């Protein structure tokens, strides 16, 4: 079966973002960008399905500015087979609803039996694209997966939920979104990075799919969160206990 | 403005705290109707919440385990009467609401921390390092609320309760099993005090000193991702961008460096205490009281002296 893995190029998770003083957004100039960590986990999950003989082909798709090619190549170097870039203008973060609509068209074209997405992107923290895609396709969804087993035309998925773990089975074709504990993504080796340069990569635009990507949510302003007042360092446990009692906390 | 609130139901009972906090948020938008997908008793609990005018109870096996496909269809079948469809930003809320939104062809607004007006909301992005104010142009607003920023509604109400039914099981997914972590301690997201351990705790056995301090304070126990990944604590204890977001009166971080992703889950706590032997640890930048010490000495001493 074919597995489709959408990946997103985001600001690297170790970077402390700076909010622009004029409230128009965060400063992305000269900031290190990487593949969204959850998407790395999705790519790894898909490649493992291929290694297990369950999947025959792993297709990577990314929607974003031209440089998202790097993110796709990175996934190809990990072991995916080919890529599709759907180009968007620089500095536009299209909403999950529009992303899901484009992905639905890609699914129509590619006819995968499984789409594996990350549970959320660490930039907009929406946690919505996978669920929205499942809705548009009328497929079952298994979100926040920490274990995936494919058998008998079903995906049996263990999900990370608030009180512990929940296992569900969902009929294929299906949408799965990945949680942190699903796997440990591999690093691409140098020979594989070189090989990935030769793997096929189609380039398209959102307009090719006839999807209206205009935002439903207007960002009025982006601000710094309220700063915490500086604290104090105490010299001993006794002093800490005294401070906590003083504040009526214990 | 009419608001439909999807109640949080866990283990066949109403999760009162999360639902009550979302009810507070919903009351800022209009007349709140609560949808309870569970037994009648859970519906009666929801009817006591202040600010709730009506409760709809869908007691059907198809909705009992929170399967998104079935729940989303039920909500969409009721959606016509409401301008806002909301839920607490729990794993159930996050699983179901985006599906509802896409079926209605509207955007979802996740993890809202503040209601500005009926179509303008604040939400954190970039792991809480920026706060966006967004204005929705959609006919129906679908919103999950970050419960840690709202007070729980009181329980002196008496709303009317009526049964509703939907199309039932779509047959796309099926429930297999739940593995619920048993705990006598307070629930993490509603606890007044939380004691958290990180990589510095070193082992699952050593986590006992964190638990001992928590028990002394009647606190919930949390963990950093490092502690969870190393197997010191179960993952439902994870506090952070991708775990639970908490805002207790007192948060005690032991052996936690304070990575961006962890801070995203606790930096709205009223008072933060950090115990770490590395005086350069980023956690000290957000801590009200910092103690540079070995947690293996400091935590037992603190437990003893409280």
């Amino acid at each position: 079966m074919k597995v489709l893995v959408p990946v997103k190029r985001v600001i690297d998770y170790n970077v402390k973002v700076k909010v622009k003083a004029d409230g128009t957004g965060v400063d992305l100039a000269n900031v290190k960008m990487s593949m969204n960590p959850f998407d790395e986990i999705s790519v790894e999950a898909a490649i493992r399905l291929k290694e297990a003989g369950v999947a025959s082909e792993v297709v990577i798709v990314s929607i974003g500015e031209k440089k998202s090619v790097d993110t796709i190549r990175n996934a190809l170097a990990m072991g995916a087979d080919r890529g599709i870039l759907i180009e968007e203008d620089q500095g536009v973060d299209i909403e999950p609803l529009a992303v899901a609509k484009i992905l639905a068209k890609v699914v129509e074209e590619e006819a995968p039996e499984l789409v594996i997405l990350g549970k959320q992107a660490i930039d907009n923290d929406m946690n919505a694209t996978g669920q929205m895609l499942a809705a548009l396709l009328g497929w079952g969804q298994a979100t926040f997966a920490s274990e995936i087993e494919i058998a008998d035309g079903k995906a049996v998925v263990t999900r990370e939920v608030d009180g512990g773990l929940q296992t569900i089975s969902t009929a294929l074709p299906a949408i799965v979104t990945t949680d942190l504990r699903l796997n440990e993504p591999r690093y691409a080796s140098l020979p594989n990075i070189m090989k990935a340069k030769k793997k096929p990569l189609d380039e398209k635009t959102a307009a090719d799919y006839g999807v209206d990507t205009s935002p439903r949510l207007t960002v009025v302003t982006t601000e710094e969160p309220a700063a915490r007042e500086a604290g104090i360092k105490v010299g001993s446990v006794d002093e800490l206990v005294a401070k906590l009692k003083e504040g009526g906390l214990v | 403005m009419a608001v439909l609130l999807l109640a949080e139901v866990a283990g066949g009972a109403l999760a009162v705290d999360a639902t009550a906090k979302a009810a507070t948020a919903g009351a800022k938008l209009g007349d709140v109707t609560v949808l309870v997908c569970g037994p009648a008793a859970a519906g009666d609990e929801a009817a006591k919440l202040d600010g709730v005018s009506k409760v709809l109870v869908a007691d059907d096996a198809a909705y009992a385990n929170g399967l998104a496909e079935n729940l989303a269809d039920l909500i969409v079948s009721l959606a016509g009467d409401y301008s806002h469809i909301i839920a607490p930003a729990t794993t159930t809320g996050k699983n179901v609401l985006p599906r509802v939104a896409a079926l209605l062809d509207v955007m979802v607004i996740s993890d809202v921390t503040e209601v500005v007006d009926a179509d303008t909301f604040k939400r954190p992005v970039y792991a809480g390092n920026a706060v966006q104010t967004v204005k929705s142009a959609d006919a129906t607003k679908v919103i999950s609320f970050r419960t840690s920023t709202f007070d729980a509604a009181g329980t002196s109400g008496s709303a009317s309760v009526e049964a509703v039914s939907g199309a039932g099981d779509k047959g796309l997914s099926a429930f297999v099993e739940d593995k619920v972590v048993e705990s006598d301690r307070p629930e993490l997201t509603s606890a007044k005090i939380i004691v958290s351990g990180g990589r510095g705790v070193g082992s699952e056995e050593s986590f006992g000193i964190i638990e001992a301090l928590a028990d002394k304070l009647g606190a919930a126990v949390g963990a950093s991702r490092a502690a969870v990944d190393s197997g010191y604590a179960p993952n439902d204890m994870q506090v952070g961008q991708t775990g639970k977001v908490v805002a207790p009166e007192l948060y005690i971080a032991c052996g936690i460096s304070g990575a961006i992703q962890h801070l995203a889950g606790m930096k709205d706590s009223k008072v933060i205490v950090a115990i770490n032997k590395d005086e350069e640890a980023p956690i000290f930048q957000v801590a009200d009281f910092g103690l540079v010490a070995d947690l293996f000495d400091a935590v037992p001493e603190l437990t003893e002296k409280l």
Side-chain angles (χ1 to χ4, degrees):
Chain A
M1 68 175 193
K2 190 191 287 190
V3 182
L4 183 73
V5 184
V7 298
K8 186 176 186 184
R9 180 174 180 264
V10 297
I11 193 164
D12 189 83
Y13 75 98
N14 279 313
V15 174
K16 177 119 175 58
V17 298
K18 289 193 180 61
V19 177
K20 289 183 190 166
D22 62 1
T24 53
V26 299
D27 197 352
L28 294 177
N30 306 317
V31 170
K32 184 182 178 207
M33 305 292 275
S34 313
M35 192 191 302
N36 180 43
F38 288 96
D39 302 347
E40 287 187 356
I41 293 168
S42 306
V43 173
E44 177 68 32
I47 293 165
R48 287 188 192 188
L49 287 173
K50 194 180 165 193
E51 286 167 345
V54 175
S56 51
E57 191 185 27
V58 176
V59 183
I60 304 293
V61 56
S62 190
I63 305 169
E65 60 178 284
K66 185 85 179 167
K67 283 188 173 154
S68 300
V69 164
D70 301 347
T71 310
I72 297 173
R73 291 276 177 218
N74 185 357
L76 297 176
M78 284 170 75
D81 298 296
R82 60 188 174 89
I84 303 167
L85 169 70
I86 298 159
E87 201 179 336
E88 267 288 329
D89 293 342
Q90 199 174 344
V92 179
D93 183 38
I94 63 169
E95 291 171 350
L97 182 63
V99 171
K101 285 179 179 177
I102 296 170
L103 290 176
K105 300 270 188 194
V106 175
V107 166
E108 240 170 74
E109 266 178 17
E110 293 284 340
E113 270 198 281
L114 188 65
V115 183
I116 307 179
L117 306 90
K119 100 168 165 180
Q120 72 189 70
I122 60 164
D123 53 2
N124 63 23
D125 280 335
M126 276 286 186
N127 192 333
T129 306
Q131 296 89 314
M132 290 186 140
L133 179 59
L136 297 175
L137 296 168
W139 291 7
Q141 67 185 56
T143 49
F144 328 142
S146 56
E147 266 182 73
I148 307 171
E149 216 178 301
I150 308 286
D152 313 329
K154 285 198 186 83
V156 178
V157 177
T158 301
R159 308 175 53 235
E160 306 248 340
V161 295
D162 283 332
L165 298 169
Q166 180 188 63
T167 306
I168 63 170
S169 79
T170 184
L172 295 177
I175 302 292
V176 172
T177 76
T178 59
D179 214 319
L180 287 169
R181 269 163 287 279
L182 179 63
N183 59 43
E184 188 78 39
R186 70 194 63 190
Y187 288 99
S189 64
L190 190 60
N192 287 343
I193 292 172
M194 301 313 284
K195 274 185 214 150
K197 293 190 163 122
K198 294 195 178 68
K199 290 183 177 174
L201 201 158
D202 286 342
E203 296 196 21
K204 302 190 170 179
T205 65
D208 295 343
Y209 293 95
V211 173
D212 173 13
T213 57
S214 48
R216 305 295 186 87
L217 304 176
T218 315
V219 179
V220 181
T221 163
T222 304
E223 303 157 290
E224 288 266 5
R228 292 185 73 93
E229 279 182 32
I232 52 163
K233 285 224 172 98
V234 294
S236 68
V237 170
D238 288 322
E239 201 185 330
L240 176 59
V241 172
K243 290 283 181 199
L244 292 177
K245 288 195 167 146
E246 210 175 290
L249 293 154
V250 291
Chain B
M1 294 283 180
V3 181
L4 181 66
L5 159 60
L6 174 65
E8 178 74 8
V9 177
L14 185 77
V16 177
D17 187 74
T19 309
K21 285 172 175 171
T24 300
K28 296 177 196 290
L29 296 164
D31 209 16
V32 180
T33 297
V34 179
L35 171 64
V36 176
C37 295
D44 295 340
E45 281 295 302
K48 290 182 198 157
L49 292 173
D50 291 344
V52 169
S53 60
K54 191 160 74 169
V55 175
L56 306 174
V57 178
D59 185 5
D60 180 328
Y63 309 126
N65 300 303
L67 290 174
E69 300 85 351
N70 300 345
L71 278 181
D73 278 16
L74 173 68
I75 294 167
V76 168
S77 73
L78 300 166
D81 301 333
Y82 302 96
S83 58
H84 297 74
I85 295 172
I86 67 170
T90 56
T91 46
T92 307
K94 289 178 172 178
N95 189 28
V96 176
L97 285 189
R99 190 172 179 110
V100 170
L103 292 171
L104 296 170
D105 193 25
V106 300
M107 247 310 275
V108 67
I109 314 170
S110 308
D111 267 317
V112 166
T113 51
E114 198 182 315
V115 174
V116 179
D117 61 37
D119 47 24
T120 314
F121 308 93
K122 287 192 178 186
R123 59 179 302 267
V125 289
Y126 292 95
N129 287 298
V131 180
Q132 272 186 349
T133 304
V134 294
K135 192 172 168 62
S136 167
D138 284 320
T140 309
K141 321 292 186 251
V142 178
I143 309 162
S144 67
F145 283 104
R146 178 166 288 190
T147 51
S148 61
T149 54
F150 295 92
D151 295 327
T155 52
S156 58
S158 57
S160 63
V161 180
E162 62 180 78
V164 288
S165 59
D169 193 357
K170 278 182 78 84
L172 285 168
S173 293
F175 169 78
V176 178
E177 65 167 349
D178 271 334
K179 280 198 187 126
V180 177
V181 177
E182 294 297 332
S183 173
D184 301 333
R185 296 193 181 90
E187 206 270 318
L188 197 55
T189 52
S190 55
K192 290 260 181 291
I193 304 178
I194 294 173
V195 184
S196 263
R199 195 192 298 279
V201 178
S203 72
E204 194 180 352
E205 294 69 45
S206 307
F207 226 80
I209 63 173
I210 304 294
E211 290 166 349
L213 175 57
D215 290 344
K216 185 77 180 260
L217 292 166
V221 175
S224 70
R225 183 187 166 187
V228 171
D229 284 351
S230 310
Y232 308 165
N235 49 30
D236 61 297
M237 281 189 188
Q238 187 182 322
V239 171
Q241 182 185 19
T242 63
K244 293 191 169 79
V245 178
V246 299
E249 305 283 318
L250 175 62
Y251 188 92
I252 306 179
C254 312
I256 292 175
S257 63
I260 293 169
Q261 293 75 18
H262 185 76
L263 300 183
M266 44 64 81
K267 66 186 168 65
D268 293 332
S269 306
K270 296 240 177 1
V271 173
I272 297 171
V273 170
I275 301 171
N276 199 305
K277 62 181 182 210
D278 173 13
E279 62 179 316
E280 298 298 314
I283 191 80
F284 287 122
Q285 291 165 19
V286 299
D288 299 278
F289 304 116
L291 176 61
V292 180
D294 188 334
L295 69 94
F296 295 104
D297 302 328
V299 172
E301 189 185 341
L302 183 60
T303 308
E304 188 190 328
K305 290 182 170 165
L306 283 169

